[in-house]
Amino acid sequence: MEILEQIAREAEKNTQVPAYPRSVEKVIAAVMSSSDFWKIVDLSDEPLPLVAEILKLLNKHDLVAFEGDQILLTEAGAELARKAKIEAFASHVCPRCKGRGVVIDNLREAYEKFLKIQEERPPAIHQFDQGYVTPENTFARVALADSRGDLRGKKVVVLGDDDLMSIALALSGLPAKVTILEIDERLVNFIKEVSDKYNLGIDARVHDLRQPLPEDVVGAYDTFFTDPPETVEAIKAFVGRGVATLKAERCAGYFGVTRRESSLDKWRKIQKVLLDMGLVITDLIHNFNEYVNWDYYEEMRGWQLTPVKKAPEDIWYRSTQFRVETVRGFKGFNEPIVGDIYNDAESSTT
């Protein structure tokens, strides 16, 4: 429909984020499903800056109304939805595994220990763009990697450890070695204390991943985990660092990419970067990762863009779990990182 085309064109012009009539349809469908801005972002699966702009344009055309902290479809908006055959979202996600395809039953004893340990963790801070997944989610990653044969007797490296993956991996008793490289000294000290207390043997080091990896880490591991910022350059740099740690062909890496800060156009570029590194994408699990709401939400760019001001209450920031595997000719990235690679038009949490 012409109005959907018009709003998409204007939204892309105003945000520099790729937009399509389908983007507008998804935002309308999300408004039909929830009046909460953060849930609308969650459901629409479009970058937050684009969702905010589309909502403002829909409001300008009297298709949605902002009432207090609620976002509501107007009569004209409901009529547009009827004509365009737009309907509210339906969920068919498995309530047992939450769509992840794995459960943590066989890791329950380690998980219970982890639950108590993580209660004392340092809080996420804006300085390092930190955010961490739920404890259950952390162990779901362990379960996924174990089910793919990437942990037992393997050497595993974690590049940046907001999620305390190193502790979860070590508690599982599956890897032969666990190393972390993390810029935040608070986290490294916490992980060292836990490692000493529970005799976990974690090799925890303070390291700024903008700098090349330590020599003894390059080409020394079977599996890596990382959670990179979401510019194309950052994916290349941080996933590239992970690839540089791997020993050989048929080693694996795990990381997440959102739709909250990455459009499908960006996803296409990211996937090309991965293929050019000599990686094969073996798994993509939608909304596998669920992030606990962080305290510094009012400092992030996304808060400035919201058309209504209401603190997020439920989980809204989710990412797709990638598993990649190396094949012949793979090549990592271990050069110094110069300049700002953390922000682009689609960023919202920085």
Side-chain angles (χ1 to χ4, degrees):
M1 296 182 73
E2 185 177 342
I3 185 63
L4 300 178
E5 290 267 9
Q6 179 185 341
I7 289 173
R9 283 197 305 271
E10 193 169 347
E12 180 167 344
K13 179 182 177 183
N14 292 347
T15 62
Q16 303 304 302
V17 178
Y20 302 87
R22 176 71 174 142
S23 309
V24 183
E25 289 178 13
K26 292 183 75 176
V27 172
I28 292 172
V31 175
M32 295 172 74
S33 308
S34 176
S35 63
D36 180 81
F37 172 76
W38 305 101
K39 188 63 177 177
I40 291 167
V41 173
D42 183 15
L43 290 172
S44 66
D45 250 358
E46 299 284 344
L48 184 154
L50 182 63
V51 175
E53 184 62 25
I54 288 173
L55 287 170
K56 291 170 186 175
L57 292 170
L58 288 170
N59 176 255
K60 178 182 174 182
H61 288 275
D62 295 321
L63 298 171
V64 303
F66 303 144
E67 296 186 8
D69 58 15
Q70 292 190 309
I71 300 171
L72 305 169
L73 210 61
T74 63
E75 288 187 17
E79 179 63 15
L80 172 64
R82 186 187 66 78
K83 289 181 178 178
K85 296 182 168 53
I86 301 170
E87 297 187 16
F89 283 102
S91 175
H92 304 281
V93 173
C94 169
R96 175 93 159 85
C97 72
K98 298 184 178 179
R100 296 183 179 119
V102 292
V103 292
I104 63 172
D105 296 18
N106 294 334
L107 300 165
R108 182 62 58 179
E109 185 179 344
Y111 173 66
E112 295 297 337
K113 285 184 183 177
F114 182 79
L115 270 182
K116 294 179 182 177
I117 290 168
Q118 60 86 37
E119 289 177 356
E120 304 299 322
R121 60 158 297 139
I125 56 175
H126 197 195
Q127 177 187 354
F128 298 126
D129 189 26
Q130 290 175 339
Y132 52 86
V133 296
T134 65
E136 180 186 4
N137 198 158
T138 300
F139 264 79
R141 288 179 182 169
V142 176
L144 176 63
D146 187 35
S147 71
R148 299 297 188 270
D150 296 328
L151 296 184
R152 296 184 185 231
K154 307 291 188 183
K155 293 182 177 180
V156 182
V157 64
V158 183
L159 304 177
D161 200 12
D162 298 358
D163 305 313
L164 306 181
M165 275 301 303
S166 59
I167 294 175
L169 289 163
L171 285 171
S172 77
L174 299 174
K177 179 179 181 179
V178 178
T179 297
I180 72 147
L181 302 179
E182 164 64 51
I183 191 173
D184 187 352
E185 193 170 349
R186 300 174 312 141
L187 277 175
V188 173
N189 289 338
F190 176 73
I191 291 166
K192 283 181 176 179
E193 289 171 10
V194 171
S195 180
D196 290 343
K197 181 176 180 180
Y198 291 89
N199 196 27
L200 299 178
I202 299 170
D203 175 14
R205 314 185 196 180
V206 176
H207 182 79
D208 184 346
L209 289 169
R210 290 172 295 187
Q211 304 304 317
L213 297 167
E215 287 185 14
D216 67 318
V217 170
V218 177
Y221 292 84
D222 301 289
T223 305
F224 77 83
F225 290 82
T226 191
D227 209 1
E230 289 197 21
T231 66
V232 176
E233 294 79 10
I235 296 287
K236 177 181 178 182
F238 286 87
V239 175
R241 290 278 195 268
V243 175
T245 70
L246 299 179
K247 292 178 179 177
E249 297 87 357
R250 303 305 301 272
C251 290
Y254 292 83
F255 57 92
V257 179
T258 73
R259 298 284 293 277
R260 314 297 179 264
E261 298 193 86
S262 294
S263 64
L264 286 183
D265 292 63
K266 190 199 288 189
W267 269 53
R268 181 171 180 265
K269 293 175 183 176
I270 288 170
Q271 290 177 8
K272 186 174 187 304
V273 164
L274 299 176
L275 296 175
D276 288 346
M277 284 186 199
L279 299 174
V280 176
I281 303 167
T282 64
D283 296 76
L284 284 171
I285 307 176
H286 182 65
N287 283 352
F288 185 98
N289 297 305
E290 299 184 334
Y291 290 78
V292 176
N293 289 323
W294 45 89
D295 293 336
Y296 62 81
Y297 65 89
E298 289 185 349
E299 300 173 26
M300 68 183 193
R301 178 174 180 247
W303 180 255
Q304 310 307 319
L305 298 175
T306 58
V308 297
K309 301 302 180 196
K310 179 185 178 184
E313 296 174 354
D314 299 321
I315 287 174
W316 67 277
Y317 197 86
R318 309 175 202 267
S319 72
T320 293
Q321 184 67 54
F322 276 65
R323 178 187 183 272
V324 293
E325 199 165 317
T326 54
V327 293
R328 291 187 184 96
F330 78 93
K331 186 178 181 182
F333 177 84
N334 199 28
E335 303 301 317
I337 297 170
V338 180
D340 179 15
I341 63 169
Y342 298 93
N343 297 286
D344 62 18
E346 301 177 18
S347 302
S348 60
T349 60
T350 52

